[in-house]
Amino acid sequence: TVIAKNYRSKSGVGAHERSHTEAFFRKVKFWDGVAPGTPGMDTTLGLGSGKMSSLGDADGSESKESAKRFGDAPPVFVMPDGYSYMHVKRNGLIFGCATEKNVSPVVVIELLSKIAKVFKDYCGTLSEESIRKNFILLYELLDELLDYGYPQVTQTENLKAFVYNEPIVVSPVADTGKMINPKTASASAVHKPVIGSVDADGKKTSLSTNQKNEIFVDILERLSVLFSNNGYVLNSTIDGCIQMKSYLAGNPQLRLALNEDLAIGRNTSTTYGSGVTVDDINFNDCVNLSEWEHGRTLSFYPPDGEFIVLNYRMTGEFKTPFRIFPSIEEVEPNKLEIAVHVRAEIPDNHFGANVSIEVPLPQTTTVASCNVVSTPGANGVNAEYISQEKKLLWTLKKFPGCTEQTMRAKVTLSGPCTSQIRREIGPINMNFEIPMYNVSSLQVRYLRIAENMPGYTPYRWVRYVTQSSSYVCRL
């Protein structure tokens, strides 16, 4: 446990706070799939309602084995002590809450997400080290965020008036899991706290000292696509958002313009023609929509910290960045040959980063070998059979656009391949990230300061990122 706070408790149970939190942590990490409240589960004495904690994540063979059998713990579950436990995971940290009251889980999860965001805004980066070094500041924030278990002030800019401690800046952890072009990688400035801070040497830094006027804009899209076994798209959805973080002196009003041919709602007749069409869109409270209808322009005063300007969703047909074509051949009663062919349909000047493709195999698999037919340009290509999890794992650090990659595997089973065993193969799951590319074609036409301010030249950093949310192919 890194930090924990108890807002309401029964008398005489404070001594059990550590065991209470550890029981919750064990349950989340080693989820056993037992139904809530089932007798025989580990019991702990509960604390009073409204206990909140931030826990450091941990790895272990037992955890991986549990995840293999039962998956991750649900965000909300009940323990035999009668308390409801709710949690969210952010950057390898678990933000959790325990309550005995009948509260709305959605409200609590939204509150936990808001707490994680505020912590990130004030620490600059969200990691176990930054929380340990800034625990006094974070306890002060928790005192202002909630009063007797009830949310009070949750906006980053409104909390500034009540917070007196200064954050200790921690260098952000290098994200080795994402291979992004250095030109598109977020600058270190995006990890600065929203208030004056102290560096690791104890030297005080002010936001006004050597402060560049910068604003960071991310257009993020997460794809959910389901393919049939012959490569046709059965279902596809884009969940996107425009996210910003502002370090502009004086907090001037900004104007953000999107595609002029952007249409909202597939069943509404518009004058924008065959442009970008989104199913629905929602805006941050700070956005002024007076020029939205006729010019697709937003104006707003950016709040402190990281915030989402708008969310949008798009369903229906769109050009998927990767197409998956699988095939299975039974060469002998107990031997199979599996081939997975993936085609990148993104332009050749883009690439998929940190690509991984998983193919679950039957529990009766005894041995499997695989090889990859790779085209030039692909980097970090590897395919292996993970016997503990009974699956094939194919990874590519870089998958260039307009290329094709193929993996072939020979699988030996302990017995004949029946129809029941055949159904245990798949579905294929693919994960990837594509920097500086978006599928929906939603573009930022311009980002300007609304008023003409002589000598005021801010730096604008705009980045497009497409990620897989659920990219699945049936077998």
Side-chain angles (χ1 to χ4, degrees), residues 25-94:
F25 178 71
R26 285 197 307 271
K27 197 66 182 172
V28 171
K29 288 303 298 177
F30 311 127
W31 180 250
D32 53 12
V34 178
T38 302
M41 292 165 63
D42 290 338
T43 59
T44 58
L45 285 171
L47 287 177
S49 61
K51 182 179 183 306
M52 312 199 66
S53 61
S54 171
L55 304 168
D57 212 340
D59 292 323
S61 57
E62 187 180 352
S63 170
K64 291 176 182 176
E65 183 67 21
S66 173
K68 181 194 80 169
R69 289 180 292 139
F70 300 107
D72 294 332
V76 182
F77 58 87
V78 180
M79 296 267 276
D81 56 9
Y83 289 87
S84 301
Y85 292 78
M86 288 149 273
H87 73 280
V88 297
K89 293 182 180 179
R90 296 288 185 273
N91 289 27
L93 298 167
I94 301 172

Side-chain angles (χ1 to χ4, degrees), residues 229-244:
N229 56 6
N230 54 9
Y232 287 105
V233 176
L234 299 176
N235 190 19
S236 55
T237 307
I238 300 173
D239 288 301
C241 70
I242 297 180
Q243 188 172 281
M244 297 181 70

Side-chain angles (χ1 to χ4, degrees), residues 202-266:
K203 206 175 285 184
K204 187 169 181 177
T205 60
S206 171
L207 286 181
S208 59
T209 307
N210 300 323
Q211 172 69 50
K212 285 183 181 178
N213 286 315
E214 294 178 302
I215 186 159
F216 299 87
V217 184
D218 282 344
I219 294 89
L220 307 175
E221 292 187 348
R222 295 179 63 83
L223 309 182
S224 298
V225 181
L226 176 63
F227 293 97
S228 65
N229 56 6
N230 54 9
Y232 287 105
V233 176
L234 299 176
N235 190 19
S236 55
T237 307
I238 300 173
D239 288 301
C241 70
I242 297 180
Q243 188 172 281
M244 297 181 70
K245 194 166 188 179
S246 172
Y247 292 102
L248 298 178
N251 196 26
Q253 187 181 21
L254 300 177
R255 289 166 58 85
L256 177 73
L258 304 179
N259 309 51
E260 288 184 325
D261 57 359
L262 175 63
I264 303 170
R266 297 193 170 275

Side-chain angles (χ1 to χ4, degrees), residues 170-183:
V170 175
S171 57
V173 179
D175 196 349
T176 56
K178 297 177 181 176
M179 185 181 134
I180 297 180
N181 190 320
K183 291 181 180 178

Side-chain angles (χ1 to χ4, degrees), residues 70-135:
F70 300 107
D72 294 332
V76 182
F77 58 87
V78 180
M79 296 267 276
D81 56 9
Y83 289 87
S84 301
Y85 292 78
M86 288 149 273
H87 73 280
V88 297
K89 293 182 180 179
R90 296 288 185 273
N91 289 27
L93 298 167
I94 301 172
F95 291 81
C97 170
T99 177
E100 65 175 351
K101 303 294 184 182
N102 185 22
V103 300
S104 168
V106 176
V107 171
V108 176
I109 288 173
E110 176 66 22
L111 175 64
L112 292 172
S113 302
K114 183 69 77 171
I115 289 172
K117 176 190 174 298
V118 169
F119 281 10
K120 183 181 178 184
D121 287 340
Y122 277 85
C123 294
T125 181
L126 192 61
S127 65
E128 187 172 341
E129 184 187 3
S130 68
I131 286 181
R132 287 188 187 280
K133 289 193 173 181
N134 292 288
F135 72 94

